[in-house]
PDB file of all heavy atoms in Angstrom:
ATOM      1  N   CYS N  31      26.175 210.242 123.795  1.00  0.00           N
ATOM      2  CA  CYS N  31      27.246 209.763 123.079  1.00  0.00           C
ATOM      3  C   CYS N  31      26.736 208.471 122.384  1.00  0.00           C
ATOM      4  O   CYS N  31      26.210 207.622 123.123  1.00  0.00           O
ATOM      5  CB  CYS N  31      28.454 209.400 124.060  1.00  0.00           C
ATOM      6  SG  CYS N  31      29.882 208.627 123.206  1.00  0.00           S
ATOM      7  N   LYS N  32      26.830 208.432 121.171  1.00  0.00           N
ATOM      8  CA  LYS N  32      26.333 207.335 120.378  1.00  0.00           C
ATOM      9  C   LYS N  32      24.900 207.046 120.687  1.00  0.00           C
ATOM     10  O   LYS N  32      24.463 205.842 120.804  1.00  0.00           O
ATOM     11  CB  LYS N  32      27.185 206.022 120.599  1.00  0.00           C
ATOM     12  CG  LYS N  32      28.595 206.171 120.052  1.00  0.00           C
ATOM     13  CD  LYS N  32      29.397 204.888 120.222  1.00  0.00           C
ATOM     14  CE  LYS N  32      30.787 205.024 119.743  1.00  0.00           C
ATOM     15  NZ  LYS N  32      31.588 203.808 119.878  1.00  0.00           N
ATOM     16  N   GLY N  33      24.088 208.114 120.814  1.00  0.00           N
ATOM     17  CA  GLY N  33      22.731 208.006 120.945  1.00  0.00           C
ATOM     18  C   GLY N  33      22.090 207.810 122.375  1.00  0.00           C
ATOM     19  O   GLY N  33      20.900 207.870 122.530  1.00  0.00           O
ATOM     20  N   LEU N  34      22.970 207.639 123.389  1.00  0.00           N
ATOM     21  CA  LEU N  34      22.488 207.395 124.757  1.00  0.00           C
ATOM     22  C   LEU N  34      23.126 208.466 125.656  1.00  0.00           C
ATOM     23  O   LEU N  34      24.235 208.847 125.471  1.00  0.00           O
ATOM     24  CB  LEU N  34      22.777 206.042 125.227  1.00  0.00           C
ATOM     25  CG  LEU N  34      21.895 204.888 124.639  1.00  0.00           C
ATOM     26  CD1 LEU N  34      22.486 203.522 125.002  1.00  0.00           C
ATOM     27  CD2 LEU N  34      20.502 205.095 124.991  1.00  0.00           C
ATOM     28  N   PRO N  35      22.496 208.819 126.747  1.00  0.00           N
ATOM     29  CA  PRO N  35      22.990 209.721 127.747  1.00  0.00           C
ATOM     30  C   PRO N  35      24.332 209.229 128.381  1.00  0.00           C
ATOM     31  O   PRO N  35      24.527 208.042 128.629  1.00  0.00           O
ATOM     32  CB  PRO N  35      21.918 209.843 128.806  1.00  0.00           C
ATOM     33  CG  PRO N  35      20.670 209.478 128.053  1.00  0.00           C
ATOM     34  CD  PRO N  35      21.076 208.455 127.092  1.00  0.00           C
ATOM     35  N   LEU N  36      25.136 210.192 128.594  1.00  0.00           N
ATOM     36  CA  LEU N  36      26.481 209.885 129.199  1.00  0.00           C
ATOM     37  C   LEU N  36      26.312 209.761 130.744  1.00  0.00           C
ATOM     38  O   LEU N  36      25.733 210.711 131.360  1.00  0.00           O
ATOM     39  CB  LEU N  36      27.491 211.064 128.905  1.00  0.00           C
ATOM     40  CG  LEU N  36      28.113 211.026 127.552  1.00  0.00           C
ATOM     41  CD1 LEU N  36      28.611 212.422 127.154  1.00  0.00           C
ATOM     42  CD2 LEU N  36      29.199 210.012 127.461  1.00  0.00           C
ATOM     43  N   LYS N  37      26.896 208.789 131.275  1.00  0.00           N
ATOM     44  CA  LYS N  37      26.801 208.602 132.742  1.00  0.00           C
ATOM     45  C   LYS N  37      27.636 209.666 133.420  1.00  0.00           C
ATOM     46  O   LYS N  37      27.255 210.145 134.488  1.00  0.00           O
ATOM     47  CB  LYS N  37      27.293 207.160 133.134  1.00  0.00           C
ATOM     48  CG  LYS N  37      26.998 206.777 134.590  1.00  0.00           C
ATOM     49  CD  LYS N  37      27.919 207.359 135.558  1.00  0.00           C
ATOM     50  CE  LYS N  37      27.825 206.820 136.966  1.00  0.00           C
ATOM     51  NZ  LYS N  37      28.768 207.440 137.904  1.00  0.00           N
ATOM     52  N   SER N  38      28.687 210.086 132.786  1.00  0.00           N
ATOM     53  CA  SER N  38      29.511 211.125 133.322  1.00  0.00           C
ATOM     54  C   SER N  38      28.794 212.435 133.519  1.00  0.00           C
ATOM     55  O   SER N  38      29.191 213.400 134.297  1.00  0.00           O
ATOM     56  CB  SER N  38      30.808 211.363 132.524  1.00  0.00           C
ATOM     57  OG  SER N  38      30.468 211.757 131.162  1.00  0.00           O
ATOM     58  N   ALA N  39      27.636 212.657 132.765  1.00  0.00           N
ATOM     59  CA  ALA N  39      26.834 213.864 132.901  1.00  0.00           C
ATOM     60  C   ALA N  39      25.799 213.792 133.997  1.00  0.00           C
ATOM     61  O   ALA N  39      25.231 214.754 134.388  1.00  0.00           O
ATOM     62  CB  ALA N  39      26.089 214.114 131.552  1.00  0.00           C
ATOM     63  N   LEU N  40      25.691 212.589 134.574  1.00  0.00           N
ATOM     64  CA  LEU N  40      24.708 212.363 135.626  1.00  0.00           C
ATOM     65  C   LEU N  40      25.123 213.198 136.902  1.00  0.00           C
ATOM     66  O   LEU N  40      26.155 213.144 137.461  1.00  0.00           O
ATOM     67  CB  LEU N  40      24.638 210.874 136.094  1.00  0.00           C
ATOM     68  CG  LEU N  40      23.771 210.462 137.133  1.00  0.00           C
ATOM     69  CD1 LEU N  40      22.270 210.671 136.710  1.00  0.00           C
ATOM     70  CD2 LEU N  40      23.896 208.993 137.550  1.00  0.00           C
ATOM     71  N   ALA N  41      24.137 214.057 137.249  1.00  0.00           N
ATOM     72  CA  ALA N  41      24.326 214.905 138.410  1.00  0.00           C
ATOM     73  C   ALA N  41      23.070 214.775 139.321  1.00  0.00           C
ATOM     74  O   ALA N  41      22.087 215.452 139.021  1.00  0.00           O
ATOM     75  CB  ALA N  41      24.564 216.379 137.979  1.00  0.00           C
ATOM     76  N   PRO N  42      23.104 213.939 140.298  1.00  0.00           N
ATOM     77  CA  PRO N  42      22.012 213.708 141.119  1.00  0.00           C
ATOM     78  C   PRO N  42      21.282 214.984 141.675  1.00  0.00           C
ATOM     79  O   PRO N  42      20.068 214.921 141.767  1.00  0.00           O
ATOM     80  CB  PRO N  42      22.454 212.798 142.249  1.00  0.00           C
ATOM     81  CG  PRO N  42      23.593 212.021 141.627  1.00  0.00           C
ATOM     82  CD  PRO N  42      24.293 212.995 140.743  1.00  0.00           C
ATOM     83  N   MET N  43      22.063 215.991 141.908  1.00  0.00           N
ATOM     84  CA  MET N  43      21.494 217.160 142.506  1.00  0.00           C
ATOM     85  C   MET N  43      20.607 217.922 141.445  1.00  0.00           C
ATOM     86  O   MET N  43      19.894 218.820 141.866  1.00  0.00           O
ATOM     87  CB  MET N  43      22.555 218.106 143.138  1.00  0.00           C
ATOM     88  CG  MET N  43      23.218 217.464 144.314  1.00  0.00           C
ATOM     89  SD  MET N  43      22.104 216.665 145.497  1.00  0.00           S
ATOM     90  CE  MET N  43      21.182 218.051 146.093  1.00  0.00           C
ATOM     91  N   GLU N  44      20.733 217.527 140.181  1.00  0.00           N
ATOM     92  CA  GLU N  44      19.858 218.142 139.142  1.00  0.00           C
ATOM     93  C   GLU N  44      18.562 217.354 138.978  1.00  0.00           C
ATOM     94  O   GLU N  44      17.645 217.840 138.289  1.00  0.00           O
ATOM     95  CB  GLU N  44      20.585 218.199 137.860  1.00  0.00           C
ATOM     96  CG  GLU N  44      21.754 219.165 137.840  1.00  0.00           C
ATOM     97  CD  GLU N  44      22.629 219.210 136.611  1.00  0.00           C
ATOM     98  OE1 GLU N  44      22.183 218.508 135.568  1.00  0.00           O
ATOM     99  OE2 GLU N  44      23.631 219.797 136.579  1.00  0.00           O
ATOM    100  N   ILE N  45      18.407 216.217 139.615  1.00  0.00           N
ATOM    101  CA  ILE N  45      17.145 215.455 139.527  1.00  0.00           C
ATOM    102  C   ILE N  45      16.291 216.114 140.573  1.00  0.00           C
ATOM    103  O   ILE N  45      16.718 216.442 141.676  1.00  0.00           O
ATOM    104  CB  ILE N  45      17.419 213.966 139.934  1.00  0.00           C
ATOM    105  CG1 ILE N  45      18.293 213.277 138.900  1.00  0.00           C
ATOM    106  CG2 ILE N  45      16.090 213.258 140.121  1.00  0.00           C
ATOM    107  CD1 ILE N  45      18.759 211.868 139.239  1.00  0.00           C
ATOM    108  N   PRO N  46      15.010 216.359 140.240  1.00  0.00           N
ATOM    109  CA  PRO N  46      14.117 216.947 141.243  1.00  0.00           C
ATOM    110  C   PRO N  46      14.140 216.275 142.591  1.00  0.00           C
ATOM    111  O   PRO N  46      14.067 215.035 142.567  1.00  0.00           O
ATOM    112  CB  PRO N  46      12.732 216.897 140.505  1.00  0.00           C
ATOM    113  CG  PRO N  46      13.100 216.901 139.055  1.00  0.00           C
ATOM    114  CD  PRO N  46      14.287 216.147 138.918  1.00  0.00           C
ATOM    115  N   LEU N  47      14.275 216.998 143.598  1.00  0.00           N
ATOM    116  CA  LEU N  47      14.453 216.430 144.933  1.00  0.00           C
ATOM    117  C   LEU N  47      13.410 215.452 145.372  1.00  0.00           C
ATOM    118  O   LEU N  47      13.755 214.473 145.966  1.00  0.00           O
ATOM    119  CB  LEU N  47      14.481 217.622 145.874  1.00  0.00           C
ATOM    120  CG  LEU N  47      14.905 217.316 147.351  1.00  0.00           C
ATOM    121  CD1 LEU N  47      16.297 216.642 147.410  1.00  0.00           C
ATOM    122  CD2 LEU N  47      14.866 218.488 148.243  1.00  0.00           C
TER     123      LEU N  47
END
Side-chain angles (χ1 to χ4, degrees):
C31 176
K32 296 185 181 179
L34 288 173
L36 283 159
K37 194 277 186 182
S38 60
L40 180 65
M43 295 315 296
E44 292 177 7
I45 296 172
L47 189 58

